[in-house]
Amino acid sequence: MATDYPDIDIAPFIDHSLLIPTATPQHVEQWCEEAYRYNFASVCVYPIYVPLAVELLHGKQPQVCTVIGFPTGATTSAVKLYEAQEAVENGAKELDVVINLGWLKAGKTEEVHREIAEICEETGQTVKVILETTLLTDGEKKLAAEICMDAGAAFLKTSTGWNGGATVADVKLLKEVVKDRVGIKASGGIRTVEGALDLILAGATRLGTSRSVDLIHQRDTLEGKE
């Protein structure tokens, strides 16, 4: 690894994400094969592809992750809950749930808490709440973090990637709030291994990216393996 960075294996941090609107079953097969080959933490696919990913990764290390209320978070609580329950019934082990940003900004904190808590309680799986930090003030980020931790979230996720991406500053801010109580997933705009390592060093415990394989090749180049 380059002298400026510690020797960190980034592969186990990565949620190998396939969230383009044109994703096909063939893409899912490729992403699952890559996740297994490189030992990524999970493959993150749309709900429609959860059964296929579960089949392809049966008995293998990577988890199957999906997105709920994606990308705006503005569907109703009942719809989000149904979507989450169906995903779990289909075999998903991790759920990346978009927070209701309008509620948060309107001060409807009880509604935000209730929605996330219900999904956590009813599914019993790992819930990562997407805060969409680029659209929030620092005060709103801290408030959202406290609400979601109290509601049972296992991770706080910075972004969908549709409105900008993760920053080191936001990861550090979330780390100050959560300490080590929950994980932090940095997502969106992670294109270089240096950027990925900066986010990890800032406190990220997961990285959401579609450029996962490229990041591994970049890491190997830095380490002199290529």
Side-chain angles (χ1 to χ4, degrees), residues 8-78:
I8 297 173
D9 182 5
I10 65 171
F13 286 83
I14 291 175
D15 286 351
H16 193 29
S17 302
L18 178 60
L19 297 173
I20 56 172
T22 53
T24 66
Q26 290 72 31
H27 286 124
V28 177
E29 292 175 6
Q30 176 188 339
W31 253 245
C32 288
E33 191 278 328
E34 289 169 347
Y36 176 61
R37 185 196 316 170
Y38 293 105
N39 194 36
F40 296 144
S42 81
V43 167
C44 188
V45 296
Y46 282 115
I48 190 67
Y49 289 129
V50 167
L52 176 59
V54 169
E55 178 184 350
L56 292 168
L57 290 171
H58 178 71
K60 297 178 180 178
Q61 172 66 25
Q63 297 294 311
V64 175
C65 173
T66 194
V67 287
I68 305 298
F70 190 89
T72 69
T75 47
T76 66
S77 295

